[in-house]
Amino acid sequence: MKLTRNFFFAIGVFLLTILLHIGFVQVLLGESKPYYSSIYVFTISLLVVSLLVIQFLEYKWRDYLGYFFLVVVAIKLVAAKIFMNSIEQRHENEFKFSFLVLYLISLILITWFTARKLMNEEN
């Protein structure tokens, strides 16, 4: 199993998104909430694990990758719900907005990554 250019591109785009979030929220708005680092670690970890699982599943069972993608997204959603329930400040608007934006961007990147694999356009 070889990591592809698309894998590193998705990780790079997400890291850039986190840097933009840090720049906007913490530098421009001056907000430094203690849960931001938890959100960053959780979302990047979830993205990397999801991409690695999809990469492995494509290597082993390429014909069923579309179905496995749906399972990965469902598991990712359950993990997000468990994470949100574990944070005391989950009712704060800043937490909801920050988590939702980063989660949705990671979901878009996972979808793009899987679509590229299904179209067999690996680089």
Side-chain angles (χ1 to χ4, degrees):
M1 181 175 77
K2 176 182 122 176
L3 298 180
T4 62
R5 187 181 312 169
N6 289 335
F7 176 85
F8 293 110
F9 178 78
I11 299 297
V13 167
F14 195 71
L15 289 174
L16 180 64
T17 303
I18 288 175
L19 288 175
L20 289 172
H21 184 270
I22 291 169
F24 178 73
V25 173
Q26 293 185 8
V27 175
L28 287 179
L29 297 179
E31 291 183 1
S32 182
K33 303 284 184 173
Y35 51 74
Y36 283 145
S37 59
S38 298
I39 292 172
Y40 300 148
V41 169
F42 177 77
T43 53
I44 191 71
S45 299
L46 201 58
L47 176 67
V48 169
V49 168
S50 298
L51 293 178
L52 287 173
V53 166
I54 289 171
Q55 182 80 22
F56 175 76
L57 293 172
E58 189 255 348
Y59 177 71
K60 290 288 192 181
W61 300 286
R62 180 162 182 7
D63 293 340
Y64 304 105
L65 187 60
Y67 299 113
F68 286 130
F69 166 74
L70 295 174
V71 172
V72 168
V73 169
I75 292 170
K76 185 178 184 244
L77 185 61
V78 170
K81 180 65 176 159
I82 291 169
F83 173 76
M84 287 185 71
N85 288 344
S86 70
I87 303 291
E88 290 180 20
Q89 299 90 354
R90 66 181 171 268
H91 299 293
E92 291 184 23
N93 289 334
E94 293 86 4
F95 173 79
K96 290 178 187 176
F97 181 75
S98 296
F99 182 75
L100 183 64
V101 167
L102 292 174
Y103 179 84
L104 290 177
I105 290 171
S106 73
L107 183 61
I108 290 167
L109 289 170
I110 292 168
T111 305
W112 171 82
F113 181 75
T114 306
R116 296 286 293 206
K117 291 201 161 295
L118 289 171
M119 294 185 323
N120 201 18
E121 294 182 8
E122 280 301 310
N123 295 323

